[in-house]
Amino acid sequence: MNTADQNALLTIALLAAFADGSKADAERAEIRRVAESLGDTQINMAALYQDVLLKRATVASAAAALSAPELRQLAFELAVGVCDADGLRNEAETRFLAELGQTLGLTLPQIAEPAATADALATMPLQDIV
């Protein structure tokens, strides 16, 4: 995975965090987890955050920067995780994920499966998780 791929993945994660118009600490924590999972990056997170806030970064531009189909799927799954970090996704987040999946060129099963899995985890009673 190159720097452009890492940048695109983090951009999509940030766009997902802002999809509902709120700023939840759980979403911020998920963004940090995503950044850490990408390993040693040379990404300037402050600049990336600014690009998203000022709408210089878009779903289309970030999706176009991904170099492999596997990274498109990963981007979608990371976005689902960010959207669900503060609870079940709302209508705005659902619309964002639908647009993202379409822009990434994913099939309906590639979109529906991660969303359904995330929903199942989010609604699972705690005693079933522990």
Side-chain angles (χ1 to χ4, degrees):
M1 179 182 327
N2 61 40
T3 302
D5 290 324
Q6 292 171 331
N7 188 43
L9 289 170
L10 286 168
T11 297
I12 289 170
L14 281 167
L15 288 165
F18 289 115
D20 62 0
S22 69
K23 298 174 184 170
D25 287 338
E27 288 176 336
R28 285 188 191 101
E30 185 65 10
I31 296 290
R32 278 191 296 279
R33 190 191 68 73
V34 167
E36 289 169 2
S37 75
L38 295 177
D40 186 30
T41 67
Q42 301 301 318
I43 306 292
N44 180 338
M45 285 299 291
L48 189 61
Y49 183 82
Q50 195 173 48
D51 286 344
V52 169
L53 277 178
L54 298 175
K55 301 192 186 315
R56 293 186 296 231
T58 65
V59 168
S61 64
L66 294 168
S67 65
E70 300 82 17
L71 292 172
R72 291 180 189 82
Q73 184 67 45
L74 177 60
F76 185 80
E77 293 186 20
L78 292 174
V80 169
V82 170
C83 286
D84 285 358
D86 61 346
L88 285 176
R89 76 192 78 83
N90 61 29
E91 187 178 325
E93 291 168 324
T94 299
R95 278 193 312 272
F96 170 80
L97 290 172
E99 175 194 347
L100 176 62
Q102 184 177 20
T103 303
L104 291 168
L106 301 178
T107 64
L108 188 54
Q110 289 174 306
I111 294 169
E113 186 177 327
T117 301
D119 289 349
L121 288 172
T123 59
M124 183 179 291
L126 287 179
Q127 69 269 15
D128 291 347
I129 296 173
V130 184

